[in-house]
Amino acid sequence: MSTKGIRLGRTLLIGMAVALSMAVTACSAKADKPAIEQPVDKPSVLLVHGAFADGSSWTKVAEKLQRDGYQVTTAAVPLRGLTYDSAYIRGVLDGMPGKTIVVGHSYGGAVITNAATGSPKAAGLVYIAAFAPDRGESLGELDGRFGGPATKISVPHEYPLPDGKGNAPELTIAPDKFGEFFAQDLPATDAAVLAAGQRPIAVASFTEPSAEPAWKTLPSWTLVAKDDRMIPPDGQRQMATRINATVVEHAGSHAIALSQPQAVVDLIETAAAKTS
């Protein structure tokens, strides 16, 4: 080999040795650095819809929460009675992966009030234009006390009982009243679609007494929909005061989760941050 070739080979070997030394030093320095503390995991979010609605009423809220990194479950409430519905949602809550912010809209507020009582998974309650009954109260009683229109704008139907022993009454909102009372701040075409897809609710849901409320032991937040025509805002404020909730008010109809989803998301994420 020529002298020139020998010098070139030595140069390559020296370069490789320097590069290897630098790599080892970098790895050593990286290992010597303290481990970066991982951020606290966000709680999961359980969304519970109310009467005359279904899980699609949470679509915009769920989309935003998922984009912000939350694991979201939108429950399908049977709407067959407060006791039955609460037991069903408790089963959903028990199956959540960890600490959970439990959110209820309208009648769903009464459901989470019962379903979350004593649950090790429930971290906090968020009421969105919702009922928050005390022990022994019925939704029919609260609706009458606050001047809600449910009994005046609803249409009665019957459904067969699962044991085959006759029928039981259920209610929907009259289609020509739905937009005016439930979703007046949505486009008329959207309100008409919601009216067509509304889920009927058993009358038993309004007559059964509520059990021991979860809000006595869990932190609570309430979003008052200031333009609500289903649960009057003053009634929402009275219930929020009674349960010692952190209260936010925002312009919006009873369908505020669809018309003002960011306001709903902001309150849920506030609750999540406070309970993490």
Side-chain angles (χ1 to χ4, degrees):
M1 180 181 294
S2 67
T3 304
K4 184 177 180 182
I6 292 173
R7 287 200 299 268
L8 179 59
R10 286 176 179 175
T11 302
L12 290 172
L13 287 172
I14 292 171
M16 292 173 62
V18 171
L20 179 60
S21 176
M22 292 176 63
V24 170
T25 301
C27 290
S28 176
K30 184 177 181 181
D32 290 339
K33 289 182 180 179
I36 299 174
E37 185 177 351
Q38 294 298 317
V40 177
D41 289 340
K42 293 180 178 181
S44 300
V45 179
L46 175 59
L47 301 173
V48 181
H49 67 79
F52 317 117
D54 60 18
S56 66
S57 60
W58 292 116
T59 299
K60 295 180 180 179
V61 171
E63 180 184 6
K64 291 177 178 290
L65 288 171
Q66 288 176 336
R67 188 181 303 142
D68 291 344
Y70 290 89
Q71 180 167 330
V72 180
T73 296
T74 302
V77 185
L79 302 180
R80 297 296 82 175
L82 184 56
T83 302
Y84 182 88
D85 294 342
S86 300
Y88 178 87
I89 294 302
R90 177 55 176 265
V92 178
L93 178 57
D94 287 344
M96 297 295 288
K99 288 296 185 180
T100 301
I101 300 299
V102 191
V103 186
H105 170 248
S106 188
Y107 167 70
V111 174
I112 68 170
T113 294
N114 288 263
T117 301
S119 169
K121 294 291 183 71
L125 307 171
V126 179
Y127 293 87
I128 306 298
F131 287 107
D134 200 349
R135 183 180 182 89
E137 291 180 335
S138 70
L139 265 64
E141 176 186 349
L142 291 174
D143 193 58
R145 184 188 308 172
F146 301 138
T151 57
K152 301 175 184 177
I153 63 174
S154 58
V155 178
H157 312 274
E158 288 192 344
Y159 69 96
L161 293 170
D163 58 8
K165 297 180 180 178
N167 298 327
E170 62 182 8
L171 301 172
T172 58
I173 296 176
D176 61 338
K177 300 293 185 182
F178 194 95
E180 177 185 355
F181 286 91
F182 197 101
Q184 76 272 13
D185 57 351
L186 290 178
T189 52
D190 292 353
V193 170
L194 292 175
Q198 63 177 302
R199 295 264 309 284
I201 183 170
V203 170
S205 303
F206 291 93
T207 59
E208 292 178 356
S210 188
E212 188 67 16
W215 49 257
K216 286 189 175 181
T217 56
L218 291 172
S220 301
W221 288 260
T222 293
L223 176 60
V224 174
K226 294 196 292 185
D227 305 310
D228 199 326
R229 297 176 182 174
M230 292 297 296
I231 305 177
D234 282 345
Q236 296 179 42
R237 295 184 185 105
Q238 290 179 42
M239 288 183 284
T241 298
R242 181 174 64 176
I243 70 175
N244 196 31
T246 299
V247 181
V248 172
E249 300 202 6
H250 200 286
S253 69
H254 196 58
I256 193 168
L258 286 169
S259 65
Q260 304 293 333
Q262 191 60 54
V264 176
V265 168
D266 288 345
L267 186 59
I268 294 171
E269 293 189 350
T270 295
K274 293 291 186 181
T275 57
S276 296

